[in-house]
Amino acid sequence: MDNPLSPGSSASHARAARAELPAGIDPRRPGAAGWARTGVPSWLWWQLLLPLAAFAAANFVLLQLGGDRWIAGHLYLWEGGHWALKDNLVTSTLIHQGGKRLSAFAWLGVVACALVAWRRPAWRSWRTPLLYLALAVLLSTSIVAWMKSWTHVDCPWDLVGFGGTRSYHDLLAALPAHAALGRCFPAGHASAGYAWLALFFFLGETRPQWRWKGFAAAFGAGMVFGIAQQLRGAHFVSHDLWTLLICWLMAVLLHRVMFARRTPVQAASAAAPASRTP
């Protein structure tokens, strides 16, 4: 039998393999070892390079091939040639206004839990994960709001052909001197959902078995918020796509900054008391 404390033992090799693979990748799965053979850290492949490649492809279809206007045009015609759902109870009151408040209250709850964790020794293992979650959500929504202040992109409802009076301009095109300044890019409301993609990493540090559920909840909230705004004429699909990327990148990079230096032993010791904390 191998000595689990021996550097050359199969047990230590298995632990090392698991440490090199991203959360959710089973080291026993065929092809999993291929991540390491590329010479690129596995987290960089699946958390950054693959999402960026998918984003670039989708962005090309939406912006360069006209997918944005094609989708918005069909929604506009489906609603009868005007944005019938712009002031609708569900899309405007419940999802738009209510969704923002719900996300804000959830963030305040995380901050409150973080403050309690710093005062209670029994919650010590939750301190850094809670701080990470609070910072990730705050930074994601703040960056999106900051970008909206200077990108000067119009909403669909402002544009000719969609009930407005302004001309459409590409994202990177220089605006004419007389053009009014837009405040619609990236999608601010969708960030109230997508910012919570950080739950994937928060739960990966505290309750690993729930991390994909956290991801699904945040992604679903962002999709609901984004689609509701598209139905109101407030955003093109690309606006939500950029918000999704910004929030995911912030969650990934902040996680690397706050947790990357921990060794597998430190991570295991932090998770053990967390699992016993009610």
Side-chain angles (χ1 to χ4, degrees):
M1 180 181 296
D2 290 328
N3 181 356
L5 299 180
S6 172
S9 69
S10 60
S12 62
H13 281 302
R15 286 194 297 271
R18 286 194 293 271
E20 289 297 323
L21 293 172
I25 300 295
D26 187 346
R28 296 167 297 180
R29 185 180 303 168
W35 292 98
R37 288 197 298 268
T38 62
V40 178
S42 56
W43 72 268
L44 188 62
W45 272 114
W46 81 282
Q47 293 179 7
L48 284 182
L49 298 183
L50 292 180
L52 285 172
F55 167 81
N59 205 57
F60 179 80
V61 171
L62 293 172
L63 295 179
Q64 303 304 317
L65 300 183
D68 262 348
R69 284 173 285 174
W70 185 86
I71 295 172
H74 279 73
L75 292 177
Y76 187 69
L77 293 176
W78 174 69
E79 294 182 38
H82 66 288
W83 297 109
L85 298 177
K86 182 177 182 179
D87 299 313
N88 181 266
L89 173 65
V90 175
T91 57
S92 179
T93 304
L94 294 181
I95 298 179
H96 184 227
Q97 299 177 23
K100 287 191 297 186
R101 294 190 181 98
L102 180 61
S103 182
F105 287 143
W107 182 81
L108 290 174
V110 171
V111 172
C113 289
L115 293 175
V116 171
W118 249 266
R119 295 179 61 87
R120 296 185 59 181
W123 287 30
R124 183 184 304 273
S125 60
W126 289 87
R127 292 174 182 176
T128 302
L130 286 168
L131 178 61
Y132 160 78
L133 184 59
L135 286 176
V137 174
L138 177 63
L139 291 173
S140 295
T141 52
S142 297
I143 289 173
V144 170
W146 171 69
M147 289 183 65
K148 285 167 67 72
S149 69
W150 56 265
T151 49
H152 307 319
V153 175
D154 293 315
C155 303
W157 61 37
D158 294 321
L159 302 176
V160 173
F162 297 102
T165 58
R166 304 180 187 179
S167 300
Y168 176 84
H169 300 282
D170 290 335
L171 175 61
L172 300 179
L175 295 178
H178 63 278
L181 300 180
R183 293 288 187 272
C184 298
F185 177 88
H189 186 48
S191 71
Y194 288 135
W196 292 96
L197 288 171
L199 280 170
F200 177 81
F201 299 101
F202 167 77
L203 292 171
E205 298 292 334
T206 57
R207 294 289 188 274
Q209 69 275 20
W210 292 354
R211 60 183 178 269
W212 285 109
K213 295 178 182 178
F215 179 92
F219 187 82
M223 285 286 289
V224 170
F225 292 169
I227 291 174
Q229 288 295 82
Q230 293 167 36
L231 291 172
R232 298 181 66 233
H235 290 294
F236 288 113
V237 177
S238 65
H239 299 186
D240 294 297
L241 179 67
W242 276 79
T243 296
L244 170 60
L245 179 71
I246 292 167
C247 293
W248 176 251
L249 290 180
M250 179 53 59
V252 170
L253 297 178
L254 187 62
H255 180 259
R256 296 303 300 178
V257 169
M258 296 183 67
F259 293 98
R261 292 186 178 181
R262 296 204 307 175
T263 66
V265 173
Q266 290 173 325
S269 63
S275 64
R276 294 193 298 267
T277 302

